[in-house]
Amino acid sequence: MRLKTSLFGQVYEFGSVKEVLAKANEEKSGDKLAGIAAETVTERIAAKEVLSNLTLEDIFNNPVVPYEEDEVTRIIYDDLNMTIYGEIKDMTVGEFREWLLDDHVDGDMIKRISRGLTSEMVAAVTKLMTNLDLVYAASKIRITAHCNTTIGEEGVLGIRLQPNHTTDNLDGIMVSLMEGLTYGVGDAVIGLNPVNDTVESVGNVLKMFDEFKRKWEIPTQQCVLAHVTTQMEAIKKGAPSDLIFQSIAGSQKGNEAFGITADMLQEARDLVLRQGTSTGPNVMYFETGQGSELSSDAHHGADQVTMEARCYGLAKRYQPFLVNTVVGFIGPEYLYDSKQVIRAGLEDHFMGKLTGIPMGVDACYTNHMKADQNDIENLAVLLSAAGCNYFMGIPAGDDIMLNYQCTGYHEAQTLRSVLKLKPVKEFGEWMEKMGFVKDGKFTEKAGDASVFMK
């Protein structure tokens, strides 16, 4: 296995596949913070050249965290279809990129091959792609999942209604919920990030969501994004939950920092399948984000794109309904500015799709990052063109509880209009029935939460 190349008369040599993966990555402040980034543009190009000539078997033989040391690695490898892997293992990473971008290769062909890919292979080919490559390749792949409704179908853009409140005040949550529904937000899920991670508080919000959803016959699913153990206890005590949520990492150590294990996630899935309130069979919701492993010193010297891909390999085990990367939330230490956030959002979406999971993105930024609302709107347009399953929907795009900015209620309809997309079918029909929309356009009832108070 050759890990060196010559550019402009200078020889570049790399000590391991892990180093090649790190230095072939597009510039990320997190990789610089970890001390593993390419020092120059030329070194990055050299690493990309070396990576392009490695075979998928070379990548397979060199996971960034050893099988014996990490349960995430074991899940990724144990779930691999070895027959399909055997068909593609001699392909170089460069050849794999060309295959993915070939006009004659369609989404079904890609979905079949994905069953033979490790997460490191997914990350490797991502590093060789331009932003437009990532949009085009992802646009070929449709990954659907069903909870109460189906997410991810062709021509559909879903939105998570995120009615967060600074004190979990039920009336305050309800005002945001009602307003969002009138703007066509909430077909992906009604999901609250709670301030109070207690069984009682989580149970109260779930009961309110469930009662409101049933009263108005809203075709969607609801969830409270507390720690998985809190949600499990609430469900055991009778709280109505359609989904169970958890943030996950790309290494066992990273998941331990979140207070979870693979067995715990399986226990949660089994519980919500037995006692949850949805149709199923896809009942898990995961969130990720580049840099989370580095923030908990759990990256094992690997770059943040590769660790993010491993999150998706883990998520796939549990057949999720929703997965999204909270791409700009973690801060400038890991993604410094809008250029890095946009790149990361396109990378994450493509890697999730290539892994075979129903992928959404929280196109967002924090106030201390070099980005603004225009940058996030640019990313949302690119991701919509790439076939992203869903975004977030927050009043005015400003989350007053989590203190970050992302896509607002109004962006949902704008993105759908510009790119000729629709909400989930049953939800769109409900919007028409409620009079918020007529012939695909808003009526005077849009934004009028008093409709639900009559």
Side-chain angles (χ1 to χ4, degrees), residues 10-60:
Q10 182 172 346
V11 174
Y12 292 88
E13 189 165 359
F14 305 95
S16 65
V17 171
K18 184 191 292 189
E19 184 182 354
V20 172
L21 287 168
K23 293 192 172 179
N25 200 20
E26 291 297 300
E27 184 176 0
K28 303 285 171 60
S29 54
D31 292 339
K32 289 185 176 181
L33 181 65
I36 59 174
E39 293 184 5
T40 65
V41 172
T42 309
E43 185 182 23
R44 181 176 300 113
I45 294 169
K48 287 178 185 288
E49 181 176 332
V50 169
L51 180 60
S52 71
N53 289 308
L54 294 179
T55 66
L56 296 181
E57 184 175 29
D58 292 331
I59 307 297
F60 175 91

Side-chain angles (χ1 to χ4, degrees), residues 423-443:
V424 169
K425 182 175 181 291
E426 298 92 332
F427 191 88
E429 292 170 351
W430 177 82
M431 291 282 294
E432 292 270 357
K433 184 180 76 172
M434 292 293 294
F436 301 134
V437 171
K438 184 175 181 180
D439 299 325
K441 298 184 183 298
F442 281 146
T443 69

